Amino acid sequence: MAKRIQFARTGGPEVLELVDVTPAEPAPGEVRVRNQAVGLNFIDIYFRTGLYPAPSLPSGLGTEGAGVVDAVGEDVTHLEVGDRVAYAQGPLGAYAEQHVLPAAKVVALPAGIDVETAAASMLKGLTVQYLLRQTCPLEGGETILWHAAAGGVGSIACQWAKALGVKLIGTVSSPEKAALAEKNGAWATIDYTREDVVERVRELTDGAMCDVVYDSVGKDTWETSLDCLKPRSLMVSFGNASGAVEGVNIGILNQKGSLFVTRPSLNGYADTRERLEWMAGELFAMLESGKVTVDIAQRYPLAEAGKAQEALQGRQTTGSTILLP
């Protein structure tokens, strides 16, 4: 038997239950990973609340983890039992001691990266990789706005942007979070609880505004984000922390300067094993070089997954949070 977190109905953190299950055997093309650390992400809350529907109920939760392969299905050639691995995609169920998923979604870990770092950085780091290197390939010299710059994804983005020579302006909710974002390489920060974001961006850029805005907040920041862009630039909406952006009149993109907008996702970019391997290779290289480090600011036992999600949703966390089976 093995422990896992599951939910039989959508709702608040109280719907999460720690249960005993019999670990499944991997089918052809699958592997089973004995998790040593599990990543906590806002998308997990979307599934728990029903914003993103789970395929069926009861359902496991989570898509990110790291550990050791303990069983391999037929037709798997790039992984073996005993390999140290990490993953950020696949079926829900990472909040568990053991997780079965397609081998194509699992990558081997370099010797220099420990499992806690991997679990804290795979989804967030791959997200930053596709946003900065693919959605809008940044070459250096650009000015960008990044909402929630002190969070798990934002902390990695600040460092990666600096390494690329990009000026990242980060929005934060407190002086402490501003200091953290700046420590991680943000060119400037804006405390949205005390400052007008659009006006401050205008001041910082001498009226030029931003080449790209990266917005994981959603509904509450949509209009503000558009107003921070220069004409013919790009709005990247990649999350819904405050709720989904709905009822948008596409004509607003014309009115605000012939803007472009995209709503990307990790699955839309890491859609083949080859592309995932390339993306993970870039992330691992950044981690091994020290240009990106991961601040694991919170660790919770697996049984306290609900408490961990509550802290994340209440903006009480900084950096990354992991669960320990």
Side-chain angles (χ1 to χ4, degrees), residues 2-324:
K3 301 285 186 183
R4 85 161 184 168
I5 294 290
Q6 69 176 32
F7 61 106
R9 68 186 195 283
T10 58
E14 71 280 355
V15 304
L16 300 182
E17 302 175 295
L18 183 69
V19 300
D20 289 312
V21 295
T22 301
E25 293 298 322
E30 294 182 334
V31 296
R32 188 174 67 208
V33 179
R34 182 175 294 278
N35 287 326
Q36 295 174 323
V38 174
L40 180 78
N41 298 285
F42 228 99
I43 193 172
D44 306 338
I45 296 172
Y46 298 160
F47 279 108
R48 190 204 73 213
T49 60
L51 178 64
Y52 291 177
S56 63
L57 295 176
S59 173
L61 194 60
T63 60
E64 180 183 41
V68 177
V69 174
D70 73 356
V72 176
E74 295 178 6
D75 304 323
V76 176
T77 58
H78 71 291
L79 296 171
E80 299 179 349
V81 171
D83 284 350
R84 297 169 64 254
V85 295
Y87 57 89
Q89 300 168 278
L92 297 177
Y95 285 24
E97 292 178 340
Q98 291 176 287
H99 186 36
V100 175
L101 69 164
K105 302 296 186 183
V106 180
V107 296
L109 278 180
I113 298 177
D114 64 86
V115 291
E116 289 196 359
T117 296
S121 65
M122 273 295 286
L123 191 146
K124 301 171 188 68
L126 292 177
T127 297
V128 173
Q129 195 281 340
Y130 81 72
L131 289 173
L132 299 187
R133 303 277 290 121
Q134 298 186 73
T135 303
C136 182
L138 300 178
E139 298 176 355
E142 298 92 346
T143 300
I144 66 175
L145 180 69
W146 194 287
H147 289 291
V153 178
S155 295
I156 294 173
C158 287
Q159 297 173 74
W160 207 319
K162 183 178 181 180
L164 291 172
V166 172
K167 293 181 177 179
L168 183 148
I169 302 171
T171 70
V172 295
S173 60
S174 69
E176 293 76 19
K177 289 187 175 182
L180 177 60
E182 290 166 7
K183 177 183 176 183
N184 282 327
W187 175 67
T189 55
I190 302 172
D191 185 340
Y192 63 82
T193 68
R194 301 185 301 107
E195 301 174 283
D196 183 292
V197 174
V198 177
E199 289 305 313
R200 187 67 182 125
V201 166
R202 186 171 286 112
E203 292 172 4
L204 288 166
T205 63
D206 293 326
M209 310 308 280
C210 295
D211 297 286
V212 191
V213 172
Y214 295 94
D215 190 337
S216 62
V217 178
K219 180 177 64 176
D220 289 354
T221 50
W222 169 254
E223 290 277 355
T224 295
S225 293
L226 294 180
D227 288 338
C228 290
L229 286 163
K230 62 178 61 172
R232 299 175 302 281
S233 54
L234 178 64
M235 166 68 176
V236 182
S237 177
F238 70 100
N240 315 287
S242 67
V245 177
E246 298 177 340
V248 174
N249 176 357
I250 197 170
I252 198 172
L253 302 177
N254 175 8
Q255 296 165 16
K256 292 184 181 294
S258 296
L259 303 177
F260 296 85
V261 64
T262 183
R263 179 60 174 89
S265 68
L266 176 59
N267 287 339
Y269 281 88
D271 56 349
T272 66
R273 179 185 149 205
E274 291 74 21
R275 184 175 288 273
L276 172 61
E277 294 277 2
W278 166 65
M279 293 170 64
E282 282 213 346
L283 171 61
F284 295 155
M286 293 298 285
L287 291 169
E288 290 183 304
S289 71
K291 293 178 181 177
V292 170
T293 60
V294 179
D295 175 24
I296 304 175
Q298 297 83 209
R299 292 174 173 83
Y300 290 85
L302 180 64
E304 295 182 7
K307 183 178 178 181
Q309 287 193 356
E310 199 167 22
L312 178 63
Q313 195 168 13
R315 298 183 178 179
Q316 298 168 6
T317 65
T318 58
S320 295
T321 301
I322 59 172
L323 305 175
L324 299 175

